Amino acid sequence: MIPTPYLALVAAVFSLFITACGGSSSNNTPEIQLPPNQVPESHIPPDGTPPTPPDNEVTAPKQANYQWHGYERSEEFPSTSSQPLWIEVHNNNKNDSIRLSATLVRPQDANGVTVSTPLPTIVTLTGYSQSLVGLAPPPLNSLAGADPYFVQRGYNYLTVDMRGTGSSEGAWQAFGALSTQNDIPQILDFIVKQEWSNGSVAINGPSLMGINGLFAGATQHPSVKAIFATVPMGDAYRDIVFQGGQINIGFIPLWIGLVEGLGLFPTPAEVTADNPTQLINNLITRIQSLVIEEFPIGTISKALLNLDGMAYDSEFWRERSVIEFADKIQVPTFIVGGLDDLFQRGEPLLYEALKNHTTAKLLMGPWQHLDGSMIAGLPDYGLPEARQIQLAWFDRYLKEMDTKAEAFPAVTQYFKVEDTFYTLEDWPHPETTVQTFYLKGKPENKILSSSDLINIGKLLNETINNSPLGSVTNLLSTLVSQVTLGIVDINKLLGSVVGVADIEKLGDTLMTLIDPAPGKLITEPNTEIGTSSVLQHPIGGLCSRSSSQWTAGILGMLMPFCAHNNNINEMAEITFTTEPLEEDMIIYGPIAAELWVSTTAHNTGLSVTITQVDESGIVSTALTNGVLLGSMRHLEEERSRYLEGKLIQPWHPFTQAAELTVTPGEPFLAQVEIFPTSAIIKKGQRLRVSISSSDVTHGLSTLPDILAGPIGVLTIHSDPERPSRVNTPLIPRSALHHPTLN
């Protein structure tokens, strides 16, 4: 007999096959074109108040309801019937067509006869081979699309394999315009023309399916009446693929492998197709698209090698970011997200982008991607079951029944540490204030004074450059750069390694490694000079909340201690901790870390984790984090979020034109976006900021950037002229409301 933990793991892996996926406000601001290597730093004055950007206005819904109500109605039909369909879609740019595989589920009466009355249709647009996933055991099979619960209550349910996935023909587009702007409208046209359809459609599904649902809403097709999007992405570049300018290697390879891998398996629709060559043709097309087409292998390979600009934000990623089209979504939309989800950043931003021009609701739970896809455990917190919420939403907007779904609370938010849900007026909350915590490092530790000893790093560099070896090195560097298309820079590589031998940094680095909490978080600007240094390397965060989050929870199941506890991770990081709090502190929203840093290398990553430390002062629990590549630090103030004159959500363009140099030994200001969270740090507990140079599953630098700084010494500066700090959004206890279920 298989042990239960292994069964759970198998179920989780299978669930990942069908729920793993694929965003920021509309990109109307022109890209900043900067001369190469120009550094347009926004130097913030020592008092910490940026002078130019105005506060972002926070607008709340006109009326706030804080109570949930249950909703349920009996099934109308005892059973369902299923039939395969093929939907032909045309590529208007190339004057050709392909067929999409679909499955239609309809209700049957007590005599087993399929109901002929035209009904509203719930649609799931999937990329995970709905024919195969439908063979999975409950409840996983419901993620394939058709849930009998809805069909037996008077709905058709249509599940479609999108272009190049499952049994459908063509090449996978990964949210490209050919799929989202060309195919989806034709799918909707097909539905409304069928005798079983009454012309009303709701789009439903988690992850990739939810993202496709939002794209369907953005087409403004008149048939779409409502959207229920669970754990959807907003910004393809910033939410998941290139967070902080570094490629996500925890999830993206898994996702690509799952979509393409499932597409290689034969499905019932292909085996029984009227075209006997369907299966072979599809298999050949899949293999060709996997290797030749612009996505996926070509895209990711170019990104890792930083070729053809693929590692930078561009129109390629904007086209695949549904938040760029949010202003076109005019139908009622329910967004479900998770505080540890893959799209933790984008889910509240999607709600914010929708709330002022359509009915929008936000439910943020404690979930990672797998359990979030199933909206698990709501009744345990006194909330309605997920299917009841969905039924109320569909009945209200497709059947015009008085379910009062429009009166659901605007925002229902889980709060970490306190382990409970609250309803709130809005996200962000209109009563938000900003608390700045300044990083106070220890006085600089030097084993030996630089006036007494020669800096080994400088000596080695000078020795090499002034000797015949220097000419050989420069020649070799030029040759290697040409052969590797500019990927490998020998001078930067050697400089990074030699820089570790900086005597002035060595003592501080050793003290940081010895002392698990070398720095303090204080609420007043630091009046003393302090620094904290740590060894710079590209493989940090292997045992962390982040490693679990960015593998959709899989690593958290394999290494449960690492899923939330941050103590192991902090052994190789710099930490700054408050004194025990004198009262509860309620964090709600995005956080900004404004850090003055320097490195002995030619580039560095930054990983910043916010944690809660228990009353003992020992156990550190990770709440949220953010990453940023040093060379991608340029801040676009007009698109960043400020409150009370303080930065709380940086916005970086991540374009090649905005890339900045990192000069070894020279401090620079890096403003790190830490993803939104909600937590209640209790009286007597502590807040901690933990900093390192890497969070490998969250963001891995491109190969040229890794080679520019494979190893080094990363230093955080904290003094009156360089006030490193963390701006934290807080709300009062009075802003929280218990979601009483009526």
Side-chain angles (χ1 to χ4, degrees), residues 48 434-437 590-594 646-648 725-729:
V434 182
Q435 175 66 64
T436 296
F437 293 97
I591 301 169
E594 301 184 275
K646 299 177 180 180
L647 178 67
I648 59 171
R725 57 182 167 241
V726 175
N727 299 324
T728 309

Side-chain angles (χ1 to χ4, degrees), residues 150 228 374-376 378-379 383-391:
F150 301 116
F228 202 100
M374 291 181 277
I375 322 179
L378 289 180
L383 294 170
E385 184 183 349
R387 288 195 302 187
Q388 295 175 351
I389 298 173
Q390 292 170 302
L391 181 63

Side-chain angles (χ1 to χ4, degrees), residues 19-39:
T19 65
C21 133
S24 143
S25 59
S26 179
N27 191 9
N28 296 322
T29 306
E31 288 185 354
I32 298 176
Q33 299 298 321
L34 301 174
N37 300 330
Q38 181 174 328
V39 184

Side-chain angles (χ1 to χ4, degrees), residues 602-622:
H602 289 265
N603 208 347
T604 183
L606 286 167
S607 172
V608 183
T609 302
I610 306 297
T611 80
Q612 168 256 352
V613 182
D614 70 357
E615 289 83 353
S616 70
I618 298 175
V619 180
S620 178
T621 302

